[in-house]
Amino acid sequence: MHDDRSLVEARLRRVLDERVRPAVYPESVPLQVAVWHAPGEPVPVAEGLAAEPEPIAVGARWGAPWGTSWFRVTGTVPEAWAGRTVEALLDLGFDENMPGFQCEGLVYRPDGTPVKGLNPRNQWVRIGAPVEGGEEVRLHIEAASNPVILDYHPFRPTQLGDKDTAGSEPQYTLARMDLAVFDETVWQLVIDLEVLGELMAELPLESARRWDILRALERALDAIDLQNVNQSAAAARSCLTEVLAAPAVPSAHRISAVGHAHIDSAWLWPLRETVRKVARTTANMTALIEDEPDFVFAMSQAQQWAWVKEHRPEVWARVKKAVADGRFVPAGGMWVESDTNMPGSEAMARQFVHGKRFFLDEFGIENDEAWLPDTFGFAAGLPQIIRAAGAKWLLTQKISWSQTNKFPHHTFQWEGIDGTRIFTHFPPVDTYNCSMRGAEIAHAARNFKDKGSARHSLAPTGWGDGGGGTTREMVAKAARLRDLEGSATVVWETPAAFFEKAEAEYAHPPVWVGELYLELHRATLTSQARTKQGNRRSEHLLREAELWAATAAVRTGFPYPYEELDRIWKTVLLHQFHDILPGSSIAWVHREARATYDRLAAELDAIIDAAQRALAGEGPTPLAFNAAPHTRAGIPAGGAGTPVTEGGTTLSPGPDGGHVLDNGLLRIVIDANGLVVSAYDIDADRETIAPGRAANLLQLHPDFPNMWDAWDVDAFYRNTVTDLTDTDEVTEGEDGRSVRIVRSFGASRVTQVLSLPPGERRLVLDTEVDWHETEKFLKLAFPLDLHAERYASETQFGHFHRPTHTNTSWEAAKFEACNHRFVHLEEPGWGVAVVNDSTYGHDVTRTVRTDGDRGTTTTVRVSLLRAPRFPDPETDQGVHRFRHALVPGAGIGDAVREGWRINLPERRLTGAHEVAPLVAVDDSAVVITAVKLADDGSGDVVVRLHEAHGGRARATLTAGFEVADVTATDLLERAWDEGEQPPQRDGDRVTVRLRPFELLTLRLRRG
């Protein structure tokens, strides 16, 4: 037989495009359209419906950037259409290739009832099936003219990312606004032809099934009357019945389709627009659930559910009904799909506390899975947080984006730093916007790495980011793929149903230990420094507010601010979303974030001040409050007293015009260029700085990645570096015990103050950068005379080791990584820590000196600032302040302690008396991360702690109040018995035993 595949396939494409798809709507009449443009921010629905619109014609331009336009469409169903299905086709000027990234609309009836969302792949509204003829149609569309930020020429700087700079030029052209007859048979024929054509293209050429489909398609095309598609569609469909009925082979891969609409809580749009995107999508999905009995939709991010409840009560009522029917499924159990690298220990825990509690309170549903398809890598401390929240599964997809190494599993056990393992799945479909195309389904089956041991995978199905979620076309395709020869099988299921099947069939999955590092988007650890500083500061202010308010509540009856803390936590958690905290959103988002963090800081400072004054009483005694988890200057952790300072610091002239700082523990030599050429540990008789090198070295790199500007830094950035050694001035600091350094470069200026606190083994570096560079990367380098094959960086509830070498492509790919408050390197018996108050990105490299002592130089570089131009062309312009400390002679415990110290400076006020800690622990390896009152208002004291050094610990916690009972709990403060040994109470003392990095939450009932 002659090979005529190309001929038939080309014929199929043209007939579908030019004749069959247009015949879905064979008759139409225009609607009358009028529009009212809201003058500023979006208005309430009632106001939009009541506004008096002006006529507008199809073809007219509309929609200033970030504007809202209320369209009114009216018309009459022709009498001749009686008995037929009629839909309104409402095209606001969509580009079908951009679902989720341009104008969108929500359709309302005149009484304000929401109907469904409009977007590029979902432009129809059902009027009647069938109609009687003569019906009056009146619909209102709340249309958002969101500008296209990520266009066909992506990553180009644009001023459209902030309403203050976007201008007023109309963005869109009003397109089709019609009433039309919907031909169900032709629509079904389109789905038949698409499913079979897409499947055929994925089958091997030698496969008999491929040729069976080809001949069936040819017969169907022959049966279509191109001048009367509607009358011939049923005959064409009958030609395909046999090939569509052939069942899948028993060994076929099995796909659990989950309706999905990944909606970034902010990204190329502001938070307020996400509120509306969620309303449009949930309206769409509840409508689809009513039409499609097999369809199941899952939505994560409790914050987005809360927005629907608050802002769209009519949609919320439909959502609640669909949840009760088991069709609309809360997923993930987190407040938002947050970044997981940068949030601190408590913040990561509270993502689950607030997320799971919302779903429990609203629906009585508890999630067993964490759902994070788009997060940029996963910190090694996350598994035990998931487990401590009462969950046991994790889903993500983003690791498939890694540039260098292909992850070896799709289903596996992920082991965290404490040994906790979480059953984890990466969908092999490699997208969280699956549309049920044949290429996607075939890719999932081919790509699945666990063949032979497992055969289930999950496919999140639907357009995200305001694209409207799952479409009726996707549901129709899935129905045909349920049991179809040559294809993987597809069934709609909840995430829990998938995980139960996947876990049951895979008794001994492989294990991956440590972080799940995304070999991409590394620069998100640095972009938008003020957003990151706002997050770090908020986390520590919340710790202080809870600690002092709880202490004051127990000691003085101070009113514990439950509602305020709950609201503030949720706001901080929202801003940890994986495009806000990582710095990859538009200018509008980060402008609002800065203002929000400032407002929250003022609120938290007020709570802290009120609680501390209640504790201290009125009096003249100078007091310092220590919120850190370790004793400082004689003040116990969580207490207040008069600080004790030992020793002093001298500043003397150094060689060649430099300076020497000395406090009896460290001797720091700063040369005439403001560089630290020596950091000598006097007790250890050990030099910290590598021979011939200098620390406090600012280095500037060009920074123009191949794509994803705010997200990425590519390895070639290191090829070019400028050491910033020229100075404007190097002088004695104002206090006479520090050194002030000023440098200028490009259009920017750096002012540093280097100080050596009395009695402390740390060199403090305060850095102010007035930054006006573009497409540059600023680093701060510390070359250390230290031989270390690995180093530790802090993560949630512990630390994680990374190699300093690049033996394999896996290590080489980690050229930029995340730490929280410290990195630590050591040789046996002596180490060095670099601690920070607000930076996350860093790199560590090592070289062997070829001259002199042939020792090893290990260089730690802190990432300070970047200047990408997309999506925010003004990223990080302006003044920034950072604090770092170099800690010679530091063990891991010193690194932990100094990391807390630099982030929790003591607060000073006068009072009547010292304040004893509410709780204290007798082992410095056991760190208390939270002291608070129980969320249920019972007055119980909740203490969260963890082993921080990486070893086993036996510690006694002493309460400064009468304890009637103690219970180990999960993160939601419910009794939990998963610890190795239960806490033992003896009066007001509680003894605990912890494995390395184990976190433990204790609930102390007051007597």
Side-chain angles (χ1 to χ4, degrees), residues 116 258 302 369 411 445 516 521 530 537 654 673 969:
K116 66 189 294 286
V258 178
E369 78 285 339
T411 304
L516 294 171
H521 293 358
R530 292 188 191 91
R537 184 68 179 132
N673 293 319
T969 74

Side-chain angles (χ1 to χ4, degrees), residues 636-656:
T642 303
V644 178
T645 302
E646 297 180 359
T649 299
T650 63
L651 174 65
S652 58
D656 302 321

Side-chain angles (χ1 to χ4, degrees), residues 178 279 305 448 544 631 648 676 684 751 798 934:
D178 290 345
W305 293 70
F448 189 56
E544 289 190 87
T631 298
V676 177
T751 303

Side-chain angles (χ1 to χ4, degrees), residues 414-743:
W414 177 29
E415 182 177 319
I417 55 174
D418 74 315
T420 297
R421 291 181 176 181
I422 293 294
F423 188 82
T424 303
H425 181 67
F426 293 168
V429 70
D430 281 349
T431 178
Y432 43 79
N433 293 309
C434 177
S435 61
M436 286 290 134
R437 289 186 300 111
E440 294 170 334
I441 301 304
H443 175 75
R446 284 194 299 263
N447 188 41
F448 189 56
K449 298 187 184 307
D450 304 296
K451 299 182 188 77
S453 298
R455 63 175 55 176
H456 280 85
S457 73
L458 186 147
T461 302
W463 302 116
D465 284 330
T470 317
T471 65
R472 63 183 178 183
E473 289 79 13
M474 296 175 195
V475 176
K477 285 188 172 186
R480 288 158 174 79
L481 296 172
R482 187 178 184 92
D483 188 14
L484 183 62
E485 183 185 355
S487 172
T489 64
V490 176
V491 61
W492 295 105
E493 289 190 302
T494 65
F498 160 74
F499 273 109
E500 287 169 356
K501 291 179 180 178
E503 197 169 28
E505 76 175 359
Y506 209 176
H508 302 289
V511 177
W512 182 270
V513 178
E515 67 182 333
L516 294 171
Y517 180 91
L518 177 64
E519 296 170 355
L520 194 74
H521 293 358
R522 303 168 182 89
T524 58
L525 302 172
T526 305
S527 297
Q528 297 287 0
R530 292 188 191 91
T531 299
K532 291 171 171 57
Q533 289 180 323
N535 174 72
R536 179 76 70 85
R537 184 68 179 132
S538 296
E539 289 182 356
H540 288 84
L541 285 170
L542 277 161
R543 171 195 173 84
E544 289 190 87
E546 289 182 339
L547 168 65
W548 300 125
T551 305
V554 173
R555 294 275 168 74
T556 73
F558 178 81
Y560 191 79
Y562 291 101
E563 293 183 2
E564 293 93 332
L565 290 173
D566 180 78
R567 172 179 49 79
I568 293 170
W569 261 119
K570 288 173 178 174
T571 303
V572 172
L573 298 178
L574 167 60
H575 285 79
Q576 291 177 342
F577 179 76
H578 66 251
D579 276 308
I580 303 179
L581 179 54
S584 46
S585 289
I586 56 173
W588 188 347
V589 173
H590 292 290
R591 171 172 57 81
E592 289 191 330
R594 292 191 293 271
T596 297
Y597 285 130
D598 288 345
R599 185 182 73 251
L600 296 183
E603 289 187 63
L604 290 167
D605 278 331
I607 292 171
I608 293 164
D609 182 70
Q612 289 180 340
R613 292 188 182 282
L615 286 164
E618 296 292 334
T621 304
L623 296 173
F625 281 78
N626 175 21
H630 304 92
T631 298
R632 174 166 56 191
I635 303 171
T642 303
V644 178
T645 302
E646 297 180 359
T649 299
T650 63
L651 174 65
S652 58
D656 302 321
H659 298 82
V660 177
L661 289 165
D662 193 322
N663 67 358
L665 300 173
L666 298 177
R667 184 165 61 248
I668 308 298
V669 180
I670 301 166
D671 71 7
N673 293 319
L675 301 176
V676 177
V677 294
S678 174
Y680 185 69
D681 182 342
I682 295 171
D683 288 343
D685 188 22
R686 174 77 183 253
E687 176 58 60
T688 306
I689 309 302
R693 302 289 300 278
N696 190 39
L697 175 64
L698 290 163
Q699 295 182 304
L700 194 65
H701 296 271
D703 187 14
F704 190 64
N706 288 344
M707 58 193 305
W708 297 111
D709 295 38
W711 294 257
D712 282 0
V713 56
D714 290 327
F716 54 73
Y717 90 94
R718 290 179 170 180
N719 297 349
T720 306
V721 60
T722 301
D723 291 345
L724 303 178
T725 56
D726 294 340
T727 60
D728 299 342
E729 57 181 279
V730 180
T731 59
E732 180 180 303
E734 293 181 359
D735 60 1
R737 299 189 305 275
S738 60
V739 177
R740 182 174 183 269
I741 304 143
V742 180
R743 308 181 195 277

Side-chain angles (χ1 to χ4, degrees), residues 20 23 183-190 192-193 219-221 223-225 228-241 244:
V20 183
D183 190 323
E184 171 82 18
T185 303
V186 175
W187 183 83
Q188 295 287 359
L189 176 61
V190 170
D192 290 344
L193 294 173
R219 291 190 295 272
L221 294 172
I224 296 172
D225 181 345
N228 195 345
V229 173
N230 300 87
Q231 291 301 315
S232 57
R237 290 200 71 201
S238 68
C239 298
L240 303 174
T241 302
L244 284 170

